[in-house]
C-alpha cells in the first residue's frame, strides 16, 4: 500500500511516490532552541513522527533529517514582518544572563528529553544551523552568481521578483503582503517580500554569534539554513517537507525560492503542514501564559504517552483544542488500553499470528492522509473483538510500530504473587458470602495498584496505570 498525503503545494491529497525507489527523503523544520518547546510545537513534531512511522509501515526506508535552529530566527520572522526584530537566541541570552552557547545547550537538551519521552522517531541527524555556516555561505554565493541577490545596508537579500513562482505555496502576492505587514518593510528592500540571506552584525557592536563572509561579518538569515542543510544531507530534491502551518507563508515559500533558484530543480515534492494546537479555543502563546510544556503536564501527573494519544484524537489538518479535560480523557483511554494489553494472558514468545484484517484496516487509516483518529478506533475495535488473545497481542505489537505507545513492555506482565494470593483469598470469601472481608481485600489490592474485575463465574486481576 502507499501513503496518500495532502500536499500544500498542489492543494490535493496525492500518493507519495519517492524519487528514489523505496527510499523517502524527508525533512522537518525543528525547534528554535531559545526557550522550552511547547506542546503546540510538539504537535508538529508528532506529525513528522506519524509520517515517518507510516512510511516505514509501508516498507519504505526513510532518510529523515530535522534541524535545530540556533541562530538567525528573528522575533519578527513568524509575523509577516520578516527580517526585523532581534535574534531570538541573542535576546534569550541577554534576558537570562547567559551565553548563547549555554542557552542553546540547555534548551536543546530539554527538547531532546521531551522528544524521547514522547517516543518520537529520531531522525538520522539533528542538524544544527551553526554547524552549517559554510554551506549557507556557499548557497548564498551560488545565488549571487546567478543574479538572485542584492546587497543593502543591513545585509544580502534575495530578490523575489527574479523567481517567477514566488507565492505559489503561500498564495502571497505583493499586494496581500503590503496589506498584511504589521510594520513598514525596510525601505531599502526592492520588494516587501524580499528576504535576508545574510545579515550584517550591527555597527560598533558584537554579537554572541557572528561569522566572516565574502560580504561582511554577520550571520545567516533564518530561511537559508534549512535549504543549505537539506542540500548537504539529503540532496537538492526531497520527497516530503514538514512544518507547522505558520511556516507555509514565509519560511517555506522562501526555502522554495532560494533552493529552486540555486539548483534549477523542483525542491520538495510534498509539503505537509500541521494545523496549530489551540488552547481553550484560542491561540497558544508565551504571552498568553498558556504555552504549556511537557514538564507542565508531567507536574500534573500526566504521562507523556497521554499527550501522544491526545494528538492522535484529532486529524492534523484540523485545529486541535487543548484542555486539561481533553488531556484527561486521552489519559483515561490510554490507561484502559494499557490495562487491556497487560491483562492478556500471553507471554512475549507465545504471541500468535497477526490479524491481516486488522492490520489492513489500520494501514488504510494511516495511509489515508495520516488519519490517526481512525487508526485509534481500529485499535479499539481490535481490543474489543473476539479474536484470541495471542492474535490480539501480535497484532497490537504490529500496530504499535506506528502508535508508539510501548505495548512491548506490557506484554506478558506478571501479576506479583502477593497480589495474586490476595485476590484468590478474596474470591474464597466472596464465594461463601463474607462480603466485608472480600471488600477489604479488594481495597488493599487497589492500593497496591491493581484492580480486581469479576466476570461470569471468575475474576481477573489487572494492573492499573
Ligand atoms: P519554532 O520553535 O518557533 O521554530 O517552531 C517549531 C515548530 O513548531 C514549527 O514547525 C512551528 O510551525 C510549529 N508550531 C509553533 N506553534 C505551534 C502550535 N501552536 N501548534 C502546532 N505547531 C506549532
Ligand atoms: Zn525550515
Amino acid at each position: 500500500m502507499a501513503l496518500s498525503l495532502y500536499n500544500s503545494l498542489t492543494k490535493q491529497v496525492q500518493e507519495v511516490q519517492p524519487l528514489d525507489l523505496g527510499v523517502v527523503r524527508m525533512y522537518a523544520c525543528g525547534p528554535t532552541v531559545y526557550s522550552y518547546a511547547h506542546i503546540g510545537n510538539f504537535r508538529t513534531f508528532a506529525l513528522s513522527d506519524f509520517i515517518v512511522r507510516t512510511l516505514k509501515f509501508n516498507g519504505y526506508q526513510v532518510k529523515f533529517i530535522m534541524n535545530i535552529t540556533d541562530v538567525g530566527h528573528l522575533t519578527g520572522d513568524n509575523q509577516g514582518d520578516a527580517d526585523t526584530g532581534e535574534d531570538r537566541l541573542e535576546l534569550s541570552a541577554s534576558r537570562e544572563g547567559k551565553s548563547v552557547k549555554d542557552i542553546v545547550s540547555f534548551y536543546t537538551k530539554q527538547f531532546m528529553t521531551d522528544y524521547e519521552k514522547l517516543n518520537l522517531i529520531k531522525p538520522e541527524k539533528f542538524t544544527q544551523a551553526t554547524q552549517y555556516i559554510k554551506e549557507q555561505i556557499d548557497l548564498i554565493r551560488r545565488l549571487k552568481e546567478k543574479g538572485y541577490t542584492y546587497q543593502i545596508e543591513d545585509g544580502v537579500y534575495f530578490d523575489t521578483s527574479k523567481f517567477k513562482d514566488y507565492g505559489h505555496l503561500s498564495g502571497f502576492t505583493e499586494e496581500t503582503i503590503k496589506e498584511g505587514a504589521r510594520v513598514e518593510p525596510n525601505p531599502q528592500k526592492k520588494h516587501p517580500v524580499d528576504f535576508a540571506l545574510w545579515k550584517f552584525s550591527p555597527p560598533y557592536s558584537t554579537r554572541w554569534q557572528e561569522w566572516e563572509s565574502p560580504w561582511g561579518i554577520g550571520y545567516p538569515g533564518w530561511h537559508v539554513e534549512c535549504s543549505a542543510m537539506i542540500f548537504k544531507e539529503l540532496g537538492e530534491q526531497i520527497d516530503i517537507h514538514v512544518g507547522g502551518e505558520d511556516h507555509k507563508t514565509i519560511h517555506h515559500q522562501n526555502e522554495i525560492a532560494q533552493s529552486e533558484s540555486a539548483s534549477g530543480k523542483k525542491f520538495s515534492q510534498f509539503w505537509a503542514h500541521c494545523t496549530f494546537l489551540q488552547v481553550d479555543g484560542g491561540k497558544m502563546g508565551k504571552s498568553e501564559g498558556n504555552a504549556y510544556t511537557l514538564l507542565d503536564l508531567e507536574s500534573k501527573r500526566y504521562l507523556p504517552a497521554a499527550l501522544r494519544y491526545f494528538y492522535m484524537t484529532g486529524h492534523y489538518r484540523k485545529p486541535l483544542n487543548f484542555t486539561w479535560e481533553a488531556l484527561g480523557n486521552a489519559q483515561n483511554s490510554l490507561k484502559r488500553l494499557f490495562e487491556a494489553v497487560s491483562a492478556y494472558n500471553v507471554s512475549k514468545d507465545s504471541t500468535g499470528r497477526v490479524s491481516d484484517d486488522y492490520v489492513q484496516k489500520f494501514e488504510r487509516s494511516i495511509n489515508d492522509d495520516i488519519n490517526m483518529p481512525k487508526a485509534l478506533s481500529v485499535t479499539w475495535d481490535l481490543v474489543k473483538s473476539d479474536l484470541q488473545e495471542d492474535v490480539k497481542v501480535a497484532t497490537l505489537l504490529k500496530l504499535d510500530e506506528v502508535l508508539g505507545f510501548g505495548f512491548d513492555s506490557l506484554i506478558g506482565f506478571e501479576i506479583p504473587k502477593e497480589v495474586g494470593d490476595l485476590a484468590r483469598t478474596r474470591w474464597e470469601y466472596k464465594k461463601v458470602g463474607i462480603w466485608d472481608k472480600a471488600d477489604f481485600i479488594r481495597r488493599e489490592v487497589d492500593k497496591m495498584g491493581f484492580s480486581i474485575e469479576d466476570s461470569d463465574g471468575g475474576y481477573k486481576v489487572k494492573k492499573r496505570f
Side-chain angles (χ1 to χ4, degrees):
M1 282 201 243
L3 167 63
S4 293
L5 189 65
Y6 181 82
N7 187 352
S8 305
L9 208 55
T10 58
K11 301 182 177 57
Q12 276 171 4
V13 176
Q14 292 172 291
E15 204 170 279
V16 175
Q17 290 170 342
L19 295 166
D20 283 352
L21 203 65
V23 185
V24 177
R25 278 172 292 168
M26 176 171 141
Y27 180 87
C29 294
T32 307
V33 284
Y34 70 109
S35 175
Y36 291 101
H38 55 64
I39 58 172
N41 301 132
F42 275 106
R43 183 183 193 203
T44 295
F45 304 138
L47 171 64
S48 49
D49 174 82
F50 301 154
I51 297 177
V52 172
R53 287 174 183 267
T54 298
L55 291 164
K56 290 190 170 175
F57 203 84
N58 281 285
Y60 287 109
Q61 188 197 329
V62 186
K63 280 174 160 281
F64 169 39
I65 298 288
M66 181 181 281
N67 72 307
I68 301 283
T69 298
D70 59 352
V71 69
H73 192 171
L74 306 185
T75 48
D77 271 336
N78 284 3
Q79 299 150 6
D81 43 357
D83 311 309
T84 61
E86 286 184 74
D87 185 322
R88 288 164 196 245
L89 270 309
E90 304 267 333
L91 194 62
S92 182
S94 61
R95 197 166 39 216
E96 295 193 26
K98 291 181 185 163
S99 68
V100 164
K101 199 160 160 259
D102 287 345
I103 292 286
V104 167
S105 91
F106 179 81
Y107 289 114
T108 303
K109 201 159 149 243
Q110 192 56 52
F111 168 74
M112 294 299 173
T113 307
D114 292 356
Y115 197 93
E116 273 174 32
K117 281 185 183 163
L118 288 168
N119 200 16
L120 303 175
I121 292 264
K122 281 252 177 77
E124 276 186 14
K125 250 189 207 176
F126 281 108
T127 54
Q128 210 175 335
T130 51
Q131 301 301 310
Y132 293 77
I133 298 297
K134 181 185 166 299
E135 285 77 8
Q136 296 179 67
I137 291 177
D138 285 349
L139 180 58
I140 300 168
R141 196 185 281 126
R142 261 171 98 180
L143 289 168
K144 180 170 188 288
E145 279 161 12
K146 288 188 155 190
Y148 285 103
T149 67
Y150 61 91
Q151 189 167 329
I152 54 178
E153 217 168 281
D154 74 345
V156 179
Y157 281 72
F158 184 92
D159 185 344
T160 51
S161 67
K162 300 263 168 73
F163 181 67
K164 67 171 182 6
D165 221 15
Y166 197 86
H168 181 104
L169 177 71
S170 60
F172 264 17
T173 60
E174 276 210 24
E175 289 316 305
T176 52
I177 268 278
K178 266 185 213 146
E179 284 163 19
R182 299 188 315 139
V183 294
E184 267 306 296
N186 181 339
Q188 289 187 346
K189 286 208 297 196
K190 291 190 188 169
H191 316 276
V193 283
D194 292 352
F195 56 92
L197 295 163
W198 188 262
K199 285 204 90 173
F200 300 132
S201 293
Y204 313 113
S205 63
T206 342
R207 286 169 41 98
W208 280 103
Q209 304 194 106
E210 53 185 18
W211 296 265
E212 298 273 357
S213 83
W215 314 284
I217 291 178
Y219 58 101
W222 172 41
H223 317 295
V224 76
E225 68 175 71
C226 291
S227 297
M229 291 186 283
I230 290 172
F231 279 19
K232 173 82 190 292
E233 300 296 339
L234 297 169
E236 291 176 348
Q237 295 190 284
I238 61 171
D239 299 298
I240 307 175
H241 195 309
V242 185
E245 62 173 341
D246 58 328
H247 286 352
K248 188 159 73 175
T249 41
I250 301 171
H251 182 54
H252 290 163
Q253 181 60 72
N254 293 349
E255 276 189 46
I256 292 175
Q258 69 208 358
S259 303
E260 298 193 354
S261 301
S263 72
K265 295 177 199 153
K266 181 168 179 164
F267 178 43
S268 181
Q269 310 295 314
F270 277 78
W271 288 84
H273 288 107
C274 185
T275 302
F276 264 22
L277 179 73
Q278 302 187 329
V279 181
D280 299 324
K283 184 177 178 284
M284 174 178 331
K286 293 217 168 55
S287 41
E288 284 80 3
N290 60 8
Y292 302 117
T293 62
L294 186 59
L295 279 176
D296 295 329
L297 270 53
E298 285 183 296
S299 70
K300 291 184 188 266
R301 295 176 165 272
Y302 288 99
L303 302 170
L307 181 61
R308 209 181 147 85
Y309 192 107
F310 170 68
Y311 289 144
M312 294 185 198
T313 61
H315 188 261
Y316 78 91
R317 281 203 286 130
K318 297 208 177 98
L320 181 64
N321 189 30
F322 176 84
T323 61
W324 292 105
E325 195 191 351
L327 181 66
N329 290 339
Q331 173 138 306
N332 288 340
S333 303
L334 178 75
K335 285 184 173 181
R336 280 196 289 124
L337 205 50
F338 281 176
E339 275 163 24
V341 176
S342 65
Y344 292 137
N345 199 8
V346 177
S347 70
K348 269 193 190 121
D349 35 2
S350 66
T351 59
R353 272 171 13 96
V354 297
S355 154
D356 290 336
D357 183 30
Y358 277 97
V359 169
Q360 274 165 24
K361 278 187 200 150
F362 185 87
E363 199 168 8
R364 268 200 298 277
S365 313
I366 53 178
N367 279 341
D368 176 16
D369 196 21
I370 312 290
N371 192 339
M372 297 314 289
K374 187 80 209 303
L376 274 183
S377 85
V378 172
T379 308
W380 275 109
D381 289 348
L382 167 68
V383 170
K384 290 176 183 159
S385 73
D386 50 16
L387 287 173
Q388 273 175 253
E389 290 196 349
D390 61 343
V391 175
K392 284 189 188 180
V393 167
T395 313
L396 282 166
L397 286 175
K398 177 74 191 153
L399 307 192
D400 203 40
E401 289 174 14
V402 176
L403 298 172
F405 291 142
F407 290 155
D408 188 46
S409 62
L410 306 171
I411 306 291
F413 177 81
E414 301 253 348
I415 301 290
K417 184 170 177 309
E418 198 188 351
V419 176
D421 289 348
L422 280 171
R424 211 167 304 117
T425 312
R426 170 189 166 271
W427 185 246
E428 296 302 324
Y429 280 128
K430 210 183 144 180
K431 271 201 302 201
V432 292
I434 307 181
W435 307 112
D436 55 341
K437 288 227 159 88
D439 281 348
F440 176 77
I441 296 182
R442 180 199 277 265
R443 279 198 298 276
E444 285 305 299
V445 167
D446 197 69
K447 278 189 218 151
M448 294 163 87
F450 294 85
S451 58
I452 306 177
E453 278 174 23
D454 294 334
S455 57
D456 33 77
Y459 65 92
K460 195 151 193 165
V461 187
K462 286 185 176 171
K463 178 169 162 50
R464 272 208 332 271
F465 288 88

